[in-house]
PDB file of all heavy atoms in Angstrom:
ATOM      1  N   ALA C  55      13.957   4.789  -6.008  1.00  0.00           N
ATOM      2  CA  ALA C  55      14.972   4.260  -6.919  1.00  0.00           C
ATOM      3  C   ALA C  55      14.327   3.635  -8.156  1.00  0.00           C
ATOM      4  O   ALA C  55      14.850   3.773  -9.262  1.00  0.00           O
ATOM      5  CB  ALA C  55      15.846   3.236  -6.203  1.00  0.00           C
ATOM      6  N   ALA C  56      13.201   2.967  -7.990  1.00  0.00           N
ATOM      7  CA  ALA C  56      12.503   2.372  -9.134  1.00  0.00           C
ATOM      8  C   ALA C  56      12.021   3.461 -10.084  1.00  0.00           C
ATOM      9  O   ALA C  56      12.144   3.328 -11.308  1.00  0.00           O
ATOM     10  CB  ALA C  56      11.333   1.520  -8.658  1.00  0.00           C
ATOM     11  N   ALA C  57      11.483   4.539  -9.536  1.00  0.00           N
ATOM     12  CA  ALA C  57      11.016   5.642 -10.380  1.00  0.00           C
ATOM     13  C   ALA C  57      12.183   6.265 -11.138  1.00  0.00           C
ATOM     14  O   ALA C  57      12.063   6.587 -12.329  1.00  0.00           O
ATOM     15  CB  ALA C  57      10.308   6.692  -9.533  1.00  0.00           C
ATOM     16  N   LYS C  58      13.316   6.409 -10.488  1.00  0.00           N
ATOM     17  CA  LYS C  58      14.488   7.011 -11.127  1.00  0.00           C
ATOM     18  C   LYS C  58      15.096   6.064 -12.173  1.00  0.00           C
ATOM     19  O   LYS C  58      15.492   6.496 -13.249  1.00  0.00           O
ATOM     20  CB  LYS C  58      15.531   7.349 -10.061  1.00  0.00           C
ATOM     21  CG  LYS C  58      16.766   8.003 -10.613  1.00  0.00           C
ATOM     22  CD  LYS C  58      17.745   8.349  -9.515  1.00  0.00           C
ATOM     23  CE  LYS C  58      18.998   8.980 -10.103  1.00  0.00           C
ATOM     24  NZ  LYS C  58      20.003   9.230  -9.086  1.00  0.00           N
ATOM     25  N   THR C  59      15.164   4.774 -11.845  1.00  0.00           N
ATOM     26  CA  THR C  59      15.817   3.808 -12.721  1.00  0.00           C
ATOM     27  C   THR C  59      14.937   3.372 -13.895  1.00  0.00           C
ATOM     28  O   THR C  59      15.412   3.266 -15.017  1.00  0.00           O
ATOM     29  CB  THR C  59      16.239   2.559 -11.912  1.00  0.00           C
ATOM     30  OG1 THR C  59      17.073   2.974 -10.836  1.00  0.00           O
ATOM     31  CG2 THR C  59      16.981   1.559 -12.776  1.00  0.00           C
ATOM     32  N   PHE C  60      13.660   3.120 -13.620  1.00  0.00           N
ATOM     33  CA  PHE C  60      12.777   2.547 -14.639  1.00  0.00           C
ATOM     34  C   PHE C  60      11.795   3.548 -15.222  1.00  0.00           C
ATOM     35  O   PHE C  60      11.135   3.262 -16.202  1.00  0.00           O
ATOM     36  CB  PHE C  60      11.992   1.370 -14.055  1.00  0.00           C
ATOM     37  CG  PHE C  60      12.853   0.332 -13.406  1.00  0.00           C
ATOM     38  CD1 PHE C  60      12.598  -0.100 -12.113  1.00  0.00           C
ATOM     39  CD2 PHE C  60      13.930  -0.234 -14.076  1.00  0.00           C
ATOM     40  CE1 PHE C  60      13.381  -1.062 -11.512  1.00  0.00           C
ATOM     41  CE2 PHE C  60      14.721  -1.195 -13.481  1.00  0.00           C
ATOM     42  CZ  PHE C  60      14.448  -1.617 -12.193  1.00  0.00           C
ATOM     43  N   GLY C  61      11.658   4.707 -14.602  1.00  0.00           N
ATOM     44  CA  GLY C  61      10.673   5.692 -15.029  1.00  0.00           C
ATOM     45  C   GLY C  61       9.406   5.569 -14.189  1.00  0.00           C
ATOM     46  O   GLY C  61       9.125   4.516 -13.605  1.00  0.00           O
ATOM     47  N   GLU C  62       8.649   6.648 -14.119  1.00  0.00           N
ATOM     48  CA  GLU C  62       7.457   6.698 -13.264  1.00  0.00           C
ATOM     49  C   GLU C  62       6.421   5.634 -13.631  1.00  0.00           C
ATOM     50  O   GLU C  62       5.871   4.969 -12.762  1.00  0.00           O
ATOM     51  CB  GLU C  62       6.813   8.092 -13.330  1.00  0.00           C
ATOM     52  CG  GLU C  62       7.656   9.204 -12.719  1.00  0.00           C
ATOM     53  CD  GLU C  62       7.711   9.139 -11.207  1.00  0.00           C
ATOM     54  OE1 GLU C  62       6.798   8.588 -10.568  1.00  0.00           O
ATOM     55  OE2 GLU C  62       8.704   9.642 -10.650  1.00  0.00           O
ATOM     56  N   LYS C  63       6.131   5.487 -14.930  1.00  0.00           N
ATOM     57  CA  LYS C  63       5.102   4.529 -15.356  1.00  0.00           C
ATOM     58  C   LYS C  63       5.486   3.089 -15.020  1.00  0.00           C
ATOM     59  O   LYS C  63       4.684   2.330 -14.495  1.00  0.00           O
ATOM     60  CB  LYS C  63       4.834   4.652 -16.853  1.00  0.00           C
ATOM     61  CG  LYS C  63       3.979   5.820 -17.238  1.00  0.00           C
ATOM     62  CD  LYS C  63       3.691   5.762 -18.725  1.00  0.00           C
ATOM     63  CE  LYS C  63       2.759   6.861 -19.141  1.00  0.00           C
ATOM     64  NZ  LYS C  63       2.480   6.814 -20.586  1.00  0.00           N
ATOM     65  N   ALA C  64       6.705   2.724 -15.351  1.00  0.00           N
ATOM     66  CA  ALA C  64       7.160   1.360 -15.077  1.00  0.00           C
ATOM     67  C   ALA C  64       7.221   1.099 -13.572  1.00  0.00           C
ATOM     68  O   ALA C  64       6.837   0.025 -13.103  1.00  0.00           O
ATOM     69  CB  ALA C  64       8.519   1.114 -15.713  1.00  0.00           C
ATOM     70  N   ALA C  65       7.670   2.088 -12.818  1.00  0.00           N
ATOM     71  CA  ALA C  65       7.748   1.928 -11.364  1.00  0.00           C
ATOM     72  C   ALA C  65       6.358   1.726 -10.770  1.00  0.00           C
ATOM     73  O   ALA C  65       6.162   0.888  -9.899  1.00  0.00           O
ATOM     74  CB  ALA C  65       8.425   3.135 -10.733  1.00  0.00           C
ATOM     75  N   ALA C  66       5.383   2.492 -11.267  1.00  0.00           N
ATOM     76  CA  ALA C  66       4.006   2.345 -10.784  1.00  0.00           C
ATOM     77  C   ALA C  66       3.441   0.975 -11.160  1.00  0.00           C
ATOM     78  O   ALA C  66       2.685   0.371 -10.397  1.00  0.00           O
ATOM     79  CB  ALA C  66       3.136   3.461 -11.342  1.00  0.00           C
ATOM     80  N   ALA C  67       3.833   0.462 -12.335  1.00  0.00           N
ATOM     81  CA  ALA C  67       3.336  -0.840 -12.787  1.00  0.00           C
ATOM     82  C   ALA C  67       3.898  -2.005 -11.971  1.00  0.00           C
ATOM     83  O   ALA C  67       3.298  -3.081 -11.940  1.00  0.00           O
ATOM     84  CB  ALA C  67       3.676  -1.031 -14.259  1.00  0.00           C
ATOM     85  N   LEU C  68       5.027  -1.773 -11.308  1.00  0.00           N
ATOM     86  CA  LEU C  68       5.624  -2.843 -10.493  1.00  0.00           C
ATOM     87  C   LEU C  68       4.728  -3.243  -9.329  1.00  0.00           C
ATOM     88  O   LEU C  68       4.737  -4.385  -8.899  1.00  0.00           O
ATOM     89  CB  LEU C  68       6.987  -2.405  -9.953  1.00  0.00           C
ATOM     90  CG  LEU C  68       8.126  -2.369 -10.957  1.00  0.00           C
ATOM     91  CD1 LEU C  68       9.365  -1.754 -10.326  1.00  0.00           C
ATOM     92  CD2 LEU C  68       8.430  -3.765 -11.476  1.00  0.00           C
ATOM     93  N   GLY C  69       3.990  -2.301  -8.804  1.00  0.00           N
ATOM     94  CA  GLY C  69       3.129  -2.615  -7.668  1.00  0.00           C
ATOM     95  C   GLY C  69       3.726  -2.169  -6.350  1.00  0.00           C
ATOM     96  O   GLY C  69       4.579  -1.293  -6.293  1.00  0.00           O
ATOM     97  N   ARG C  70       3.289  -2.820  -5.295  1.00  0.00           N
ATOM     98  CA  ARG C  70       3.630  -2.403  -3.935  1.00  0.00           C
ATOM     99  C   ARG C  70       4.902  -3.076  -3.443  1.00  0.00           C
ATOM    100  O   ARG C  70       5.016  -4.298  -3.439  1.00  0.00           O
ATOM    101  CB  ARG C  70       2.468  -2.764  -3.017  1.00  0.00           C
ATOM    102  CG  ARG C  70       2.655  -2.318  -1.603  1.00  0.00           C
ATOM    103  CD  ARG C  70       1.387  -2.541  -0.804  1.00  0.00           C
ATOM    104  NE  ARG C  70       1.660  -2.265   0.582  1.00  0.00           N
ATOM    105  CZ  ARG C  70       1.292  -3.047   1.570  1.00  0.00           C
ATOM    106  NH1 ARG C  70       0.609  -4.130   1.328  1.00  0.00           N
ATOM    107  NH2 ARG C  70       1.584  -2.731   2.796  1.00  0.00           N
ATOM    108  N   TRP C  71       5.832  -2.249  -3.002  1.00  0.00           N
ATOM    109  CA  TRP C  71       7.074  -2.752  -2.413  1.00  0.00           C
ATOM    110  C   TRP C  71       6.813  -3.148  -0.963  1.00  0.00           C
ATOM    111  O   TRP C  71       6.088  -2.470  -0.241  1.00  0.00           O
ATOM    112  CB  TRP C  71       8.146  -1.677  -2.459  1.00  0.00           C
ATOM    113  CG  TRP C  71       8.662  -1.405  -3.837  1.00  0.00           C
ATOM    114  CD1 TRP C  71       8.153  -0.525  -4.732  1.00  0.00           C
ATOM    115  CD2 TRP C  71       9.754  -2.039  -4.473  1.00  0.00           C
ATOM    116  NE1 TRP C  71       8.873  -0.567  -5.894  1.00  0.00           N
ATOM    117  CE2 TRP C  71       9.876  -1.482  -5.753  1.00  0.00           C
ATOM    118  CE3 TRP C  71      10.671  -3.022  -4.075  1.00  0.00           C
ATOM    119  CZ2 TRP C  71      10.861  -1.885  -6.647  1.00  0.00           C
ATOM    120  CZ3 TRP C  71      11.658  -3.406  -4.966  1.00  0.00           C
ATOM    121  CH2 TRP C  71      11.737  -2.850  -6.239  1.00  0.00           C
ATOM    122  N   LEU C  72       7.436  -4.231  -0.531  1.00  0.00           N
ATOM    123  CA  LEU C  72       7.329  -4.694   0.851  1.00  0.00           C
ATOM    124  C   LEU C  72       8.727  -4.794   1.457  1.00  0.00           C
ATOM    125  O   LEU C  72       9.670  -5.211   0.772  1.00  0.00           O
ATOM    126  CB  LEU C  72       6.659  -6.062   0.912  1.00  0.00           C
ATOM    127  CG  LEU C  72       5.228  -6.127   0.383  1.00  0.00           C
ATOM    128  CD1 LEU C  72       4.747  -7.570   0.333  1.00  0.00           C
ATOM    129  CD2 LEU C  72       4.309  -5.288   1.239  1.00  0.00           C
ATOM    130  N   PRO C  73       8.882  -4.429   2.725  1.00  0.00           N
ATOM    131  CA  PRO C  73      10.207  -4.533   3.357  1.00  0.00           C
ATOM    132  C   PRO C  73      10.597  -5.994   3.552  1.00  0.00           C
ATOM    133  O   PRO C  73       9.729  -6.859   3.726  1.00  0.00           O
ATOM    134  CB  PRO C  73      10.019  -3.834   4.698  1.00  0.00           C
ATOM    135  CG  PRO C  73       8.558  -3.943   4.982  1.00  0.00           C
ATOM    136  CD  PRO C  73       7.870  -3.935   3.647  1.00  0.00           C
ATOM    137  N   ALA C  74      11.888  -6.253   3.500  1.00  0.00           N
ATOM    138  CA  ALA C  74      12.379  -7.606   3.763  1.00  0.00           C
ATOM    139  C   ALA C  74      12.124  -7.939   5.232  1.00  0.00           C
ATOM    140  O   ALA C  74      12.190  -7.069   6.098  1.00  0.00           O
ATOM    141  CB  ALA C  74      13.867  -7.695   3.447  1.00  0.00           C
ATOM    142  N   GLU C  75      11.826  -9.197   5.485  1.00  0.00           N
ATOM    143  CA  GLU C  75      11.568  -9.606   6.871  1.00  0.00           C
ATOM    144  C   GLU C  75      12.831  -9.556   7.714  1.00  0.00           C
ATOM    145  O   GLU C  75      12.786  -9.208   8.881  1.00  0.00           O
ATOM    146  CB  GLU C  75      10.973 -11.015   6.895  1.00  0.00           C
ATOM    147  CG  GLU C  75       9.562 -11.054   6.354  1.00  0.00           C
ATOM    148  CD  GLU C  75       8.949 -12.438   6.444  1.00  0.00           C
ATOM    149  OE1 GLU C  75       9.454 -13.288   7.213  1.00  0.00           O
ATOM    150  OE2 GLU C  75       7.956 -12.664   5.750  1.00  0.00           O
ATOM    151  N   MET C  76      13.947  -9.908   7.112  1.00  0.00           N
ATOM    152  CA  MET C  76      15.229  -9.878   7.814  1.00  0.00           C
ATOM    153  C   MET C  76      16.187  -9.025   6.998  1.00  0.00           C
ATOM    154  O   MET C  76      16.368  -9.258   5.812  1.00  0.00           O
ATOM    155  CB  MET C  76      15.808 -11.285   7.966  1.00  0.00           C
ATOM    156  CG  MET C  76      14.932 -12.239   8.745  1.00  0.00           C
ATOM    157  SD  MET C  76      14.784 -11.815  10.469  1.00  0.00           S
ATOM    158  CE  MET C  76      16.398 -12.215  11.071  1.00  0.00           C
ATOM    159  N   MET C  77      16.801  -8.044   7.644  1.00  0.00           N
ATOM    160  CA  MET C  77      17.768  -7.194   6.971  1.00  0.00           C
ATOM    161  C   MET C  77      19.089  -7.264   7.712  1.00  0.00           C
ATOM    162  O   MET C  77      19.112  -7.254   8.943  1.00  0.00           O
ATOM    163  CB  MET C  77      17.280  -5.739   6.945  1.00  0.00           C
ATOM    164  CG  MET C  77      16.077  -5.508   6.080  1.00  0.00           C
ATOM    165  SD  MET C  77      15.654  -3.759   5.993  1.00  0.00           S
ATOM    166  CE  MET C  77      13.928  -3.813   6.446  1.00  0.00           C
ATOM    167  N   ASP C  78      20.170  -7.316   6.943  1.00  0.00           N
ATOM    168  CA  ASP C  78      21.497  -7.292   7.560  1.00  0.00           C
ATOM    169  C   ASP C  78      21.737  -5.921   8.179  1.00  0.00           C
ATOM    170  O   ASP C  78      21.149  -4.926   7.756  1.00  0.00           O
ATOM    171  CB  ASP C  78      22.580  -7.581   6.522  1.00  0.00           C
ATOM    172  CG  ASP C  78      22.504  -8.999   5.985  1.00  0.00           C
ATOM    173  OD1 ASP C  78      22.002  -9.877   6.711  1.00  0.00           O
ATOM    174  OD2 ASP C  78      22.949  -9.220   4.845  1.00  0.00           O
ATOM    175  N   GLU C  79      22.631  -5.880   9.141  1.00  0.00           N
ATOM    176  CA  GLU C  79      22.983  -4.617   9.798  1.00  0.00           C
ATOM    177  C   GLU C  79      23.533  -3.639   8.765  1.00  0.00           C
ATOM    178  O   GLU C  79      24.386  -3.983   7.959  1.00  0.00           O
ATOM    179  CB  GLU C  79      24.026  -4.877  10.887  1.00  0.00           C
ATOM    180  CG  GLU C  79      24.317  -3.691  11.744  1.00  0.00           C
ATOM    181  CD  GLU C  79      23.178  -3.292  12.657  1.00  0.00           C
ATOM    182  OE1 GLU C  79      22.397  -4.167  13.065  1.00  0.00           O
ATOM    183  OE2 GLU C  79      23.072  -2.101  12.959  1.00  0.00           O
TER     184      GLU C  79
END
Side-chain angles (χ1 to χ4, degrees):
K58 181 178 179 184
T59 304
F60 307 128
E62 293 288 335
K63 282 185 176 180
L68 286 173
R70 183 172 173 227
W71 289 88
L72 298 173
E75 290 183 18
M76 300 292 289
M77 292 185 232
D78 294 333
E79 188 69 30

